[in-house]
Short mmCIF file of all heavy atoms in Angstrom, two decimals:
data_model
loop_
_atom_site.label_atom_id
_atom_site.label_comp_id
_atom_site.label_asym_id
_atom_site.label_seq_id
_atom_site.Cartn_x
_atom_site.Cartn_y
_atom_site.Cartn_z
N GLY A 1 88.97 125.12 108.93
CA GLY A 1 89.11 126.63 109.02
C GLY A 1 87.77 127.34 108.82
O GLY A 1 87.12 127.68 109.74
N VAL A 2 87.34 127.49 107.54
CA VAL A 2 86.17 128.26 107.22
C VAL A 2 84.93 127.55 107.75
O VAL A 2 84.08 128.18 108.40
CB VAL A 2 86.02 128.45 105.72
CG1 VAL A 2 84.76 129.12 105.37
CG2 VAL A 2 87.18 129.26 105.24
N LEU A 3 84.69 126.27 107.52
CA LEU A 3 83.50 125.60 107.92
C LEU A 3 83.38 125.51 109.42
O LEU A 3 82.32 125.52 110.00
CB LEU A 3 83.39 124.24 107.21
CG LEU A 3 83.25 124.19 105.73
CD1 LEU A 3 83.08 122.78 105.20
CD2 LEU A 3 82.01 125.08 105.27
N ALA A 4 84.57 125.28 110.07
CA ALA A 4 84.51 125.28 111.51
C ALA A 4 84.08 126.59 112.05
O ALA A 4 83.31 126.70 113.05
CB ALA A 4 85.96 124.89 112.02
N GLY A 5 84.52 127.71 111.40
CA GLY A 5 84.04 129.07 111.88
C GLY A 5 82.63 129.24 111.73
O GLY A 5 81.85 129.83 112.59
N VAL A 6 82.04 128.71 110.62
CA VAL A 6 80.63 128.83 110.40
C VAL A 6 79.84 127.98 111.38
O VAL A 6 78.83 128.38 111.96
CB VAL A 6 80.27 128.34 108.96
CG1 VAL A 6 78.73 128.23 108.80
CG2 VAL A 6 80.87 129.29 107.91
N LEU A 7 80.37 126.80 111.69
CA LEU A 7 79.72 125.83 112.63
C LEU A 7 79.76 126.42 114.04
O LEU A 7 78.78 126.34 114.77
CB LEU A 7 80.37 124.48 112.58
CG LEU A 7 79.63 123.38 113.35
CD1 LEU A 7 78.29 123.18 112.72
CD2 LEU A 7 80.48 122.05 113.20
N ILE A 8 80.84 127.09 114.38
CA ILE A 8 80.95 127.78 115.71
C ILE A 8 79.86 128.82 115.86
O ILE A 8 79.21 128.97 116.85
CB ILE A 8 82.39 128.34 115.88
CG1 ILE A 8 83.39 127.29 116.07
CG2 ILE A 8 82.43 129.39 117.09
CD1 ILE A 8 84.84 127.77 115.99
N THR A 9 79.65 129.63 114.78
CA THR A 9 78.67 130.68 114.73
C THR A 9 77.32 130.11 114.91
O THR A 9 76.42 130.57 115.67
CB THR A 9 78.77 131.50 113.53
OG1 THR A 9 80.16 132.09 113.41
CG2 THR A 9 77.76 132.65 113.54
N MET A 10 77.00 128.97 114.14
CA MET A 10 75.66 128.43 114.16
C MET A 10 75.36 127.61 115.36
O MET A 10 74.19 127.57 115.81
CB MET A 10 75.55 127.54 112.95
CG MET A 10 75.58 128.32 111.58
SD MET A 10 75.51 127.15 110.18
CE MET A 10 73.95 126.42 110.41
N THR A 11 76.35 126.99 115.98
CA THR A 11 76.10 126.08 117.10
C THR A 11 76.91 126.54 118.28
O THR A 11 76.55 127.48 119.03
CB THR A 11 76.45 124.61 116.78
OG1 THR A 11 77.79 124.51 116.43
CG2 THR A 11 75.53 124.09 115.70
N SER A 12 78.08 126.03 118.54
CA SER A 12 78.92 126.42 119.67
C SER A 12 80.32 125.89 119.38
O SER A 12 80.51 125.04 118.60
CB SER A 12 78.44 125.87 120.97
OG SER A 12 78.54 124.48 120.98
N TRP A 13 81.30 126.41 120.19
CA TRP A 13 82.70 125.91 120.07
C TRP A 13 82.71 124.39 120.41
O TRP A 13 83.36 123.63 119.81
CB TRP A 13 83.55 126.69 121.04
CG TRP A 13 83.99 128.05 120.53
CD1 TRP A 13 83.29 129.20 120.60
CD2 TRP A 13 85.17 128.30 119.77
NE1 TRP A 13 84.04 130.19 120.00
CE2 TRP A 13 85.18 129.71 119.46
CE3 TRP A 13 86.29 127.55 119.39
CZ2 TRP A 13 86.15 130.32 118.79
CZ3 TRP A 13 87.34 128.19 118.67
CH2 TRP A 13 87.31 129.57 118.42
N SER A 14 81.97 124.05 121.47
CA SER A 14 82.04 122.66 121.99
C SER A 14 81.53 121.65 120.94
O SER A 14 82.12 120.65 120.65
CB SER A 14 81.23 122.45 123.23
OG SER A 14 81.84 123.25 124.31
N MET A 15 80.28 122.03 120.32
CA MET A 15 79.74 121.18 119.29
C MET A 15 80.73 121.02 118.07
O MET A 15 80.86 119.86 117.55
CB MET A 15 78.43 121.71 118.87
CG MET A 15 77.72 120.94 117.78
SD MET A 15 77.49 119.19 118.27
CE MET A 15 76.25 119.35 119.58
N THR A 16 81.34 122.07 117.75
CA THR A 16 82.25 122.04 116.54
C THR A 16 83.44 121.07 116.84
O THR A 16 83.74 120.28 115.86
CB THR A 16 82.87 123.44 116.27
OG1 THR A 16 81.72 124.35 116.02
CG2 THR A 16 83.76 123.45 115.09
N PHE A 17 84.02 121.11 117.98
CA PHE A 17 85.14 120.21 118.31
C PHE A 17 84.66 118.82 118.53
O PHE A 17 85.43 117.83 118.20
CB PHE A 17 85.91 120.73 119.55
CG PHE A 17 86.94 121.71 119.25
CD1 PHE A 17 86.64 123.02 118.86
CD2 PHE A 17 88.28 121.40 119.18
CE1 PHE A 17 87.62 123.93 118.58
CE2 PHE A 17 89.28 122.26 118.83
CZ PHE A 17 88.95 123.62 118.52
N LEU A 18 83.40 118.60 118.99
CA LEU A 18 82.90 117.30 119.03
C LEU A 18 82.73 116.65 117.66
O LEU A 18 82.99 115.47 117.44
CB LEU A 18 81.58 117.25 119.82
CG LEU A 18 81.64 117.51 121.33
CD1 LEU A 18 80.26 117.65 121.89
CD2 LEU A 18 82.40 116.38 121.99
N VAL A 19 82.25 117.47 116.71
CA VAL A 19 82.13 117.01 115.31
C VAL A 19 83.49 116.59 114.78
O VAL A 19 83.65 115.53 114.09
CB VAL A 19 81.52 118.07 114.46
CG1 VAL A 19 81.52 117.67 112.89
CG2 VAL A 19 80.03 118.24 114.85
N GLY A 20 84.49 117.40 114.99
CA GLY A 20 85.85 117.01 114.65
C GLY A 20 86.30 115.70 115.21
O GLY A 20 86.93 114.89 114.46
N GLY A 21 85.94 115.45 116.45
CA GLY A 21 86.33 114.23 117.09
C GLY A 21 85.68 113.00 116.42
O GLY A 21 86.25 111.97 116.22
N VAL A 22 84.38 113.18 116.12
CA VAL A 22 83.65 112.11 115.41
C VAL A 22 84.28 111.74 114.07
O VAL A 22 84.40 110.60 113.72
CB VAL A 22 82.17 112.46 115.26
CG1 VAL A 22 81.44 111.50 114.28
CG2 VAL A 22 81.49 112.53 116.63
N LEU A 23 84.67 112.75 113.29
CA LEU A 23 85.29 112.55 112.01
C LEU A 23 86.66 111.76 112.11
O LEU A 23 86.88 110.84 111.32
CB LEU A 23 85.60 113.84 111.28
CG LEU A 23 84.34 114.64 110.79
CD1 LEU A 23 84.69 116.01 110.22
CD2 LEU A 23 83.56 113.92 109.78
N ALA A 24 87.40 112.06 113.12
CA ALA A 24 88.63 111.30 113.38
C ALA A 24 88.33 109.87 113.69
O ALA A 24 89.08 108.95 113.26
CB ALA A 24 89.49 111.99 114.53
N VAL A 25 87.31 109.64 114.53
CA VAL A 25 87.00 108.19 114.91
C VAL A 25 86.55 107.45 113.63
O VAL A 25 86.83 106.32 113.39
CB VAL A 25 85.90 108.23 115.91
CG1 VAL A 25 85.38 106.80 116.16
CG2 VAL A 25 86.45 108.76 117.26
N VAL A 26 85.72 108.07 112.76
CA VAL A 26 85.28 107.47 111.51
C VAL A 26 86.46 107.15 110.62
O VAL A 26 86.53 106.02 110.01
CB VAL A 26 84.33 108.46 110.74
CG1 VAL A 26 84.02 107.91 109.36
CG2 VAL A 26 82.96 108.61 111.52
N ALA A 27 87.46 108.07 110.52
CA ALA A 27 88.64 107.73 109.75
C ALA A 27 89.37 106.54 110.28
O ALA A 27 89.89 105.66 109.53
CB ALA A 27 89.60 108.99 109.73
N GLY A 28 89.42 106.44 111.62
CA GLY A 28 90.12 105.26 112.25
C GLY A 28 89.51 103.98 111.91
O GLY A 28 90.13 102.96 111.52
N PHE A 29 88.15 103.89 111.99
CA PHE A 29 87.45 102.59 111.68
C PHE A 29 87.47 102.32 110.23
O PHE A 29 87.52 101.05 109.81
CB PHE A 29 85.97 102.70 112.18
CG PHE A 29 85.88 102.42 113.67
CD1 PHE A 29 85.64 103.50 114.52
CD2 PHE A 29 85.98 101.16 114.14
CE1 PHE A 29 85.48 103.29 115.89
CE2 PHE A 29 85.90 100.93 115.57
CZ PHE A 29 85.64 102.00 116.36
N SER A 30 87.61 103.30 109.38
CA SER A 30 87.70 103.08 107.94
C SER A 30 89.03 102.37 107.57
O SER A 30 89.12 101.65 106.55
CB SER A 30 87.66 104.39 107.16
OG SER A 30 86.44 105.06 107.30
N ALA A 31 90.08 102.54 108.45
CA ALA A 31 91.41 101.96 108.09
C ALA A 31 91.30 100.42 108.20
O ALA A 31 92.11 99.70 107.54
CB ALA A 31 92.36 102.41 109.17
N PHE A 32 90.36 99.85 108.88
CA PHE A 32 90.23 98.41 109.04
C PHE A 32 89.86 97.77 107.64
O PHE A 32 90.08 96.58 107.45
CB PHE A 32 89.14 98.03 110.04
CG PHE A 32 89.48 98.47 111.48
CD1 PHE A 32 88.61 99.08 112.27
CD2 PHE A 32 90.76 98.14 112.00
CE1 PHE A 32 88.93 99.47 113.53
CE2 PHE A 32 91.11 98.48 113.31
CZ PHE A 32 90.19 99.20 114.04
N LEU A 33 89.35 98.60 106.74
CA LEU A 33 88.92 98.12 105.44
C LEU A 33 90.11 97.96 104.47
O LEU A 33 90.07 97.27 103.45
CB LEU A 33 87.91 99.02 104.79
CG LEU A 33 86.58 99.35 105.50
CD1 LEU A 33 85.81 100.46 104.83
CD2 LEU A 33 85.81 98.04 105.64
N LEU A 34 91.25 98.58 104.78
CA LEU A 34 92.40 98.65 103.81
C LEU A 34 93.04 97.25 103.68
O LEU A 34 93.14 96.49 104.58
CB LEU A 34 93.40 99.65 104.34
CG LEU A 34 92.95 101.10 104.29
CD1 LEU A 34 94.03 101.95 105.02
CD2 LEU A 34 92.74 101.61 102.88
N ARG A 35 93.61 97.07 102.46
CA ARG A 35 94.46 95.97 102.11
C ARG A 35 95.28 96.41 100.87
O ARG A 35 94.82 97.23 100.14
CB ARG A 35 93.72 94.65 101.91
CG ARG A 35 92.78 94.69 100.68
CD ARG A 35 92.14 93.29 100.48
NE ARG A 35 91.29 93.22 99.32
CZ ARG A 35 90.02 93.55 99.31
NH1 ARG A 35 89.44 93.91 100.44
NH2 ARG A 35 89.35 93.46 98.19
N PRO A 36 96.44 95.84 100.68
CA PRO A 36 97.29 96.30 99.55
C PRO A 36 96.55 96.05 98.17
O PRO A 36 95.81 94.97 98.05
CB PRO A 36 98.54 95.39 99.59
CG PRO A 36 98.57 94.98 101.09
CD PRO A 36 97.16 94.84 101.50
N PRO A 37 96.69 96.94 97.22
CA PRO A 37 96.06 96.77 95.92
C PRO A 37 96.73 95.58 95.12
O PRO A 37 97.90 95.36 95.30
CB PRO A 37 96.17 98.06 95.26
CG PRO A 37 97.42 98.64 95.92
CD PRO A 37 97.45 98.14 97.30
#
């Protein structure tokens, strides 16, 4: 919400959504580390 609005102002709409896509991919690869406690 707020930070995306700031990033849109500082860069562009496209760059902001690309950053969001990268974060989702990072979350996906992090899942490979999981195992039951």
Side-chain angles (χ1 to χ4, degrees):
V2 174
L3 294 183
V6 172
L7 191 58
I8 288 168
T9 303
M10 294 176 60
T11 59
S12 66
W13 281 86
S14 295
M15 179 57 67
T16 302
F17 273 76
L18 288 174
V19 170
V22 169
L23 291 176
V25 170
V26 170
F29 280 105
S30 298
F32 296 131
L33 302 174
L34 292 173
R35 64 176 183 270

